[in-house]
Amino acid sequence: MISAFRAEILAVPEPGNIVHHLDGLLIIEDGIIVSCGPYVPPPHDIPVTHFPGKTIVPGFVDAHVHYPQTERIAAHGSQLLEWLDKHIFPAEIAFADRGHSDRIAAFFLDELLRNGTTSALIYATVHTASVDALFEAALTRNMRIVSGKVLMDRDAPDGLRDTVASGRADSEALIARWRGKGRLGYAVTPRFALTSTFDQLVSAGEMVAAHPDVLMHTHMAENLGEVAAVAARFPDSRDYLDAYDRFGLVGPRSVFAHCIHCSDDMFDRMAAKGAHAAFCPTSNLFLGSGLFDLARATAHGVGVAIGTDIGAGTSFSILHTLGEAYKVCQMRGDSLDPFHALHLATVGGARALGIADRVGSLQLGQEADFVVLDPAATPLLARRTAGLSLHDKLFALQILGDDRAIAFTYVAGNLAHERDR
Ligand code: GUN
Ligand code: ZN
């Protein structure tokens, strides 16, 4: 099947390489982009959908988010470790139940699509049912989703711990069950250094080594109390990164959420190993964790992606998250360019997820995951963006935009969300 979409088109394959067609045409055959360029009338038998006044960008990639925390967004009053104990662990216990997992997974993925997110790296819970539910819901929607069972065999309540053996067996079974299905991928997911025994971290490293197609997804250096606890638990390790590295958990398939309290040396070693950082500004502000140093991480060569980190994060919207990223950078004396921000939320995320050959920059041969942005989505946006340059319009969308600015979301060339229906 062939279809075509006419609108302004914008993609940012590299921070300094902007692809822009003021009046563009995207042609899609069987879910794959076969042409992307300035508008010229296509052959008569190709139907054209025209979005005047709107802008097509690649679908957003959320590189760190927890679907089981959907119902715990906006839990008042504490920082990371207390927040986990008080609000998050009790909520995650319920995901032993497949029906509950199914209901939240469906809501969560629909919320991603409403916000223009077409790919994501997602935490499930320790329970295999939570992963099966998410993958089935993602398969139904044909989304590019990477997830995995959380490994945690210590310092968590009853009903939320596995063992080295069960964590290994359940992860291997999930990898075997879901490998090659739809557009799904698996991530070995030790929750963080504090909730796995040394033996479980060894086992996680072995799984990453044994399966070249899986990612490694965890948290690192988010909160000062957490960092101190890791230093106490791993006295022989040089720093937090080393606590993972000694188990073989740092490499080009690794995604570390947060990386706020990282030394230059840690960023250097992450960059040397090709590991990625997920910058989660709404979460970092909400939990009072700190200000990610995007300029310093980038200067060291660390690949950076954007995460909402729901439920410590406070919005499903990647546009809004980029607005908060801008403010975090401002607090550090840096000004995040809106094209760079869009790059991080598309190609940056796709690289972290190992899918940059498939999605993220609207290039020929890529899968047609894209979003139709409406710069006039609200009266204020309409007033503020009228007559603006592309740079300023994109910035206004990041500062003022949210789900209301997502007019349509397409997944592999098919309409997956329509705002006004
Ligand atoms: N560190 C360990 N677990 C979590 C979690 O669920 N959320 C966040 N933000 N940080 C974590
Ligand atoms: Zn997280």
Side-chain angles (χ1 to χ4, degrees), residues 66 69 80 83-84 191-192 219 222 258 283 287 309 312:
H66 301 247
Q69 298 177 11
L80 176 64
W83 172 82
L84 284 173
R191 180 172 211 118
F192 67 157
H219 298 91
E222 175 179 7
H258 308 303
S283 164
L287 289 180
D309 194 27

Side-chain angles (χ1 to χ4, degrees), residues 1-7 9 24-37 42-43 45-49 51 56-59 142 183 358 362-372 409-415:
M1 209 194 70
I2 303 196
S3 50
F5 300 88
R6 178 180 182 186
I9 297 175
L25 187 71
L26 189 65
I27 306 182
I28 293 157
E29 183 166 6
D30 297 330
I32 302 293
I33 296 169
V34 295
S35 169
C36 179
D45 53 338
I46 300 182
V48 178
T49 307
F51 302 117
I56 290 176
V57 296
N142 196 26
R183 307 172 75 204
R358 317 282 178 85
L362 303 180
Q363 274 163 9
L364 294 197
Q366 285 196 343
E367 297 159 356
D369 288 352
F370 64 93
V371 174
V372 183
T409 304
Y410 284 82
V411 169
N414 292 315
L415 183 61

Side-chain angles (χ1 to χ4, degrees), residues 271-412:
K273 294 228 170 185
H276 303 264
F279 176 18
C280 307
T282 73
S283 164
N284 301 159
L285 296 171
F286 179 75
L287 289 180
S289 303
L291 305 172
F292 177 69
D293 196 337
L294 175 63
R296 193 164 57 85
T298 306
H300 283 274
V302 177
V304 177
I306 298 291
T308 61
D309 194 27
I310 297 295
T314 53
S315 171
F316 276 85
S317 168
I318 291 288
L319 285 177
H320 176 73
T321 303
L322 294 178
E324 298 302 290
Y326 177 82
K327 297 174 195 170
V328 166
C329 291
Q330 285 284 73
M331 291 297 292
R332 286 204 170 268
D334 300 310
S335 155
L336 175 58
D337 174 80
F339 295 115
H340 185 197
L342 181 61
H343 169 80
L344 295 178
T346 53
V347 177
R351 285 182 182 155
L353 272 64
I355 54 174
D357 55 335
R358 317 282 178 85
V359 298
S361 46
L362 303 180
Q363 274 163 9
L364 294 197
Q366 285 196 343
E367 297 159 356
D369 288 352
F370 64 93
V371 174
V372 183
L373 296 177
D374 180 3
T378 67
L380 177 61
L381 264 170
R383 183 171 281 267
R384 182 65 182 93
T385 60
L388 286 187
S389 67
L390 178 64
H391 173 281
D392 292 354
K393 180 171 70 177
L394 185 62
F395 184 57
L397 277 163
Q398 292 169 7
I399 296 300
L400 300 173
D402 51 29
D403 53 325
R404 294 167 297 178
I406 309 299
F408 305 93
T409 304
Y410 284 82
V411 169

Side-chain angles (χ1 to χ4, degrees), residues 134-281:
L134 181 69
F135 277 157
E136 268 189 24
L139 201 56
T140 308
R141 291 162 181 76
N142 196 26
M143 294 170 75
R144 264 211 178 277
I145 294 299
V146 183
S147 186
K149 176 207 127 51
V150 171
L151 298 166
M152 47 194 304
D153 66 345
R154 62 169 293 177
D155 293 304
D158 290 348
L160 216 51
R161 287 189 312 275
D162 55 9
T163 64
V164 177
S166 75
R168 179 69 166 262
D170 287 350
S171 301
E172 294 284 2
L174 284 164
I175 292 169
R177 180 143 76 244
W178 290 101
R179 175 171 276 144
K181 297 240 170 79
R183 307 172 75 204
L184 306 176
Y186 195 84
V188 171
T189 310
R191 180 172 211 118
F192 67 157
L194 295 177
T195 43
S196 287
T197 59
F198 287 16
D199 286 348
Q200 186 166 63
L201 293 172
V202 169
S203 175
E206 287 170 357
M207 283 191 280
V208 173
H211 299 293
D213 55 337
V214 308
L215 300 190
M216 199 296 299
H217 184 198
T218 192
H219 298 91
M220 183 168 70
E222 175 179 7
N223 165 285
L224 289 173
E226 168 212 10
V227 171
V230 170
R233 176 83 62 80
F234 298 84
D236 300 336
S237 290
R238 182 162 151 184
D239 51 34
Y240 202 150
L241 183 67
D242 191 42
Y244 288 131
D245 204 10
R246 58 197 273 180
F247 298 104
L249 296 174
V250 182
R253 291 178 280 131
S254 305
V255 180
F256 294 100
H258 308 303
C259 304
I260 296 169
H261 308 288
C262 281
S263 62
D264 287 343
D265 187 45
M266 286 169 76
F267 280 149
D268 273 343
R269 281 149 48 221
M270 283 181 73
K273 294 228 170 185
H276 303 264
F279 176 18
C280 307

